[in-house]
Amino acid sequence: MRDSDHDLWCKAVRGDAAPLLENLPEGAVAGVARPLNSVFVVEPGPDGRQTGTVALAGPADGPVFGVQDIPSSFRVQRIDHDDRHWILHAADGRTLKATPGQFANQPPILDEEHNPCYQAHLEQSWEAIARMYATDAPDRPVPEISDEVLGGFEFDEDLYEYSATFEPPSDQVYVRFGAAEPDRIKALLPSVRTLLDDFERIRQSGLRYLWDRWLRYLWDRGPDDQTSEQAEPELFREAIAFRLEFYYSGDFILNYSDGGAGYFADGYWMAVHFRGADATPVMLSMEG
């Protein structure tokens, strides 16, 4: 979705979809569901790919958006709806039926640039949409989950996600499982335990990646009197790994604060994204 189209989407969700539909690119597939206060558009992309955008009326003035790549194998040809769900029809006869909120809450995956398993993870994430917790999804039980390492899990009824805490030798780590449903979390737990057994090495690996890919560059080119040789050991001493987040695929993100040392802008922290298969750091993002 282009920023310039935002007003068109707002109008469409409020009931006037004609301007949006008139401006869609050739080959786009669209659905307008007045009972759902929602609009779904699938647009063609490069190399025959498709991108889906679902918009639904939000609590504020503007709509809530969910934007996702669509697996190449699920080529959307038609979009229908009932009184609660969007129904996407693929060229091979498959369908995907989920609420607007479930489509907006599709499990994220590691970026394609850094993910050799991107298409497989995208298929997995796409297939999981209909199982996501969402405000407009039918109520269903929230099973209790416990683990020999992480103990009991909590379920956040606002974020619709499970979380737990881990107590390494240093600081407590908050462990989040994002959009994963209970069965998926249970399937991930063996690899999660293996990761936690090796947590200190992984924490150091993420810090090294953060330093070499970003902070060293800033120190060597910035106005600060402190040299990178002085700053490096301070970072490794002061930085705190405070949150571990798992992608649906098993890849993961480790979030670091600077422990008040002033390495990051106020209110922000750095996240290092890892491939789960080999616990290799591959990507940085700044969070706030």
Side-chain angles (χ1 to χ4, degrees), residues 166 168 170 173 191-210 236 240-241 243-246 250-256 271-282:
F166 172 60
S170 54
V173 179
S191 60
V192 170
R193 286 193 291 268
T194 300
L195 185 157
L196 296 178
D197 285 342
D198 201 22
F199 184 77
E200 181 56 26
R201 183 192 66 80
I202 292 169
R203 185 186 76 85
Q204 292 281 345
S205 172
L207 275 176
R208 172 55 56 196
Y209 185 85
L210 171 59
F236 278 75
I240 297 171
R243 189 167 73 208
L244 178 62
E245 302 176 64
F246 285 93
D251 297 328
F252 60 94
I253 306 167
L254 195 51
N255 294 266
Y256 295 89
V272 181
H273 302 243
F274 292 73
R275 283 198 298 261
D278 53 10
T280 299
V282 293

Side-chain angles (χ1 to χ4, degrees), residues 205-225:
S205 172
L207 275 176
R208 172 55 56 196
Y209 185 85
L210 171 59
W211 175 260
D212 289 342
R213 295 299 180 100
W214 187 60
L215 283 176
R216 186 195 302 275
Y217 174 88
L218 293 183
W219 246 271
D220 288 343
R221 290 159 178 78
D224 200 300
D225 292 335

Side-chain angles (χ1 to χ4, degrees), residues 100-118:
Q102 287 174 315
F103 275 108
N105 200 36
Q106 180 184 358
I109 59 176
L110 185 63
D111 286 3
E112 183 173 12
E113 178 184 356
H114 308 285
N115 187 354
C117 301
Y118 180 79

